[in-house]
Amino acid sequence: MAKFQVRARTVDMLGRQQMAGIPTAISELFKNAHDAYAMNAEVDYFRDEGLFVLRDDGLGMTMKDFEQRWLVLGTDSKIGSGRMKPPPRDPDQPERYILGEKGIGRLAIAIIGPQVLVVSRAKINGKPGGKTIAAYIHWGLFELPGLNLEDINIPVREFKGGTLPGRSDVKEMVAEAASSLDEFVRSSRRKKQVEDILAGMDEFNADPAEYSEYLGKPSLKGSGCGTHFYIIPADPIINEDIDHRQAMNKATGFEKNLIGFTNTMTPGHERPPIICRFRDYRDEGSPIELIGEKAFFTPDEFKEVDHHFLGEFDEYGQFSGQVGIYQMKSEDYVLNWSDSDGRKTECGPFKLSFAYMQGLAKDSLVPPDEHARLRRKLDRHGGLYIYRDGVRIQPYGDSDYDWLDIERNRTFGAGYYFYSYRRMFGVIELSRSENGKLSEKAGREGFRENKAYRQFRSILMNFFLQTAGDFFREDGKYADVHVEKKTELNRNKEIRQKQEKQVRKRRENFRNSLRKAFAEIDDLQPEQKAEEILSALQRNIGKVLASDIPGHQKASRLMRHEKEARDRLHDLRKNLTVTRPRGVGLPRNLTNEWNSYLLEMERLTAEVFKPFEAEIEAHVSKAAKDAEIPLDDVVRLDSAVSTHKSDAIKTVRRLHGDVNALVKDIAATVRKETRGSLKALDHTIDDVMAELERMQRAPRSQDSMAEIRERLVGKIVSVSKTEKEKLERLRVQLNQVESIWDRDGYDSAELTEAMEEELIELKAQSEFNLELAQVGMALNTISHEFDKTVGALRNGLRKLKAWADANPELNDLYRDLRTSFDHLDEYLTMFTPLDRRLHRTKINITGKHIYDFLNGLFQVRLKRHNVKLIPTKSFLKASVLCYPSSLYPPFVNLVDNAIFWLQRNRDRARTITLDSQGKDLIVQDNGPGVSARDRENIFERNFSRKPGGRGMGLPISRETLLRVGLRLTLDPASSHQGAVFRISPEKSKEF
């Protein structure tokens, strides 16, 4: 009698050669963990070591289970037949349907790596078993030709429950597997292949006992149960699967197969039967979670987008559920399947929940930035995911697998078919009990295309075709909400764009006006021109006094020259006057410039305009008195007031004319619009009444009365609604105009300014927060390495301190190194352990310490740029009790900035002076100084006039000092040149 013989190569063909790739293999192992009632299945992949660890907390295996189930291909116990009992189940959990029916999923390990150590501990009657088993397998053995399965020896060991095998235990099992190959080396044809396998065995150095110390749970130590796989070395192609994407809007092969393994996207979803995670250790920093809940769509994102459909299809294919368009209150919706013939479908009933986001940001309720983020995510992962009993069925949900022809139909008419697969995300929920005839193909690449699947697909295609027509086409039964909201959103966007266009131009004109005014102020033109006006007046007075004309003519000429000087001074002030535009919100930097301008104008008024105006009057009065020329003071006063009077009358009359003209235009427009609305409604009513008269004279069918009534009433209602909305908008605008007269209220321009400024500030803060988040993510990946480096530096400094104590000449070197390290340490506290701050202590810092530190740090640069750093005697004697890491860096930043700006001093000496006044410490230079325009902005983040500057030094210095009770300020500009920065105690605080 002849019998089948099974070669060892069968295992390789059923396992490694059948799997599409490593992601598919991992998915199969997750399914095996599911079948073992695991609640967690986690992968830790260490790239540098090539170590791949998959752990679950399921029921695990006894020695008997391992030998009679795990090592048996096509285990018949999973299909409920044969002599073997069904696999055990966890009585503390709901019963699970078996996903791995073919009994070959475990062979997927071979594609991940050639060698594996299997460690498992069974849970028996709810309690951890007394033994932990371990087995070593080299899959290369199953590639050797001529071997039968029974010829391959699989080393298996038992250990005390709660303990794990160590490196020596593993080496013993590997040695046992290697010894079984001795007899196969005889054949020269297989010698090279066997030698390669033996070389790989020599390098296998798994140590589960060591790994458990830092991997954490799930663990097999203590009372832990489950099955763990240690694969070394993992095939490096897994890196390509994780990292490579064909385009930025495409998912990687890894994401396509593993993301969304269980449903965690829909609000109120049931707890998945199993949670799967994959951690990628790319370096010594924290691992990157690749398939966790945040990488997939979240319930918050589901609720955030525009449209929602939730319901279920019954056994006849009829949908019954709720639909919410543009996040409006959900309405009941029922849809029949057009191909239903009154018989129950073979696919069975199932649930559908999906959300949809409008493709264009202007049509969506989702904020633009969030819309862009979600759109990128949808491009990669959008689609309908199918879950059976809580576990995903591949490849449904892959954005490149258009199994419902949604994208295909869209190419024929986006407006007609509406939906895009890459703008929706949702789930179809099946169960084994209700949808048993939807069976998967042998290779797990989707459902078999039997009658049940064809019905299932037809029901869903009909649903998307009909809901597109009902809700999103203009003539749809329920499309009014979508059309009205979309029109409103588009109109709002157009309004915002028009407003922004107008505002942008006015804002830029305002900026240019400020820039021009500041340029004149920084060049001291007001002071110079005022001196010129006074000098010209003095010359004119001299000429008048020297002339031979009669006294009354001299008086007349003196008063005329006085008026000319006043007018020139008035024009000088007028040319510097900038008016803030009404109804225009200003960003923070422009608001700071405006505030600085107001301060400068107050200063010029107090220091230039008023004093010079008084001097003009005094010079004329003195000249008249000395020459005994009679002046008419009333005429002089009238002359002084007349300029302001004429300017005021001219301005008010101009505005009066503008307002009157505008009122006339508005009144004409309002009358035209109101008359037009009444005419439109009257014409429509006349047309309807005329049609009614014609119907009275013509025969008509009673069956069409309802339809005719609906049409005629619809005409009136439609026109009435349009005109009503138009007039209501007009009324609101007029009410806003009327509110101007409410002196305790505010006008629309003030409201617009306030809202625009708040929006600008929120946008700026949002961008800054995003930058911080990106920086935080980057720092998170290197924080572990920083910890080690900082620790090494700290140990080195401790050793150096001992040498410095014994050798006083090393004290300066130690102090400088310690201060620089503490400066670095101050910033590292943002992403390294906070307890490092506890090592900082306040010390008494003298001005001489600060000067010595700065001189040593900048010695080369000071010499290169010919800059002198000069400390005053009072500075050298000053003393401050503070943290060096908080006080020294701001001085470093101030001196560094001063050196840069002093390079503009080409014709005079360059100096930086360190001074003190009372408890204030001062850094002063003789450079170009800070423009009045920038006085407030220099302390704002990201503002810098330095080419390539990041605008972070002064803001960070100010914040650092504030934490220790100090203020960093810029002194007001005065007659001297350069900038004066002051570090002083906060009010009611001491150093």
Side-chain angles (χ1 to χ4, degrees), residues 91-107:
D92 297 329
Q93 297 186 56
E95 185 175 0
R96 298 184 185 180
Y97 286 96
I98 301 301
L99 300 176
E101 295 178 346
K102 290 177 277 297
I104 58 173
R106 71 212 65 168
L107 305 183

Side-chain angles (χ1 to χ4, degrees), residues 285-300:
S286 299
I288 298 173
E289 174 59 64
L290 296 180
I291 62 171
E293 295 179 10
K294 290 185 179 179
F296 195 40
F297 295 107
T298 67
D300 286 341

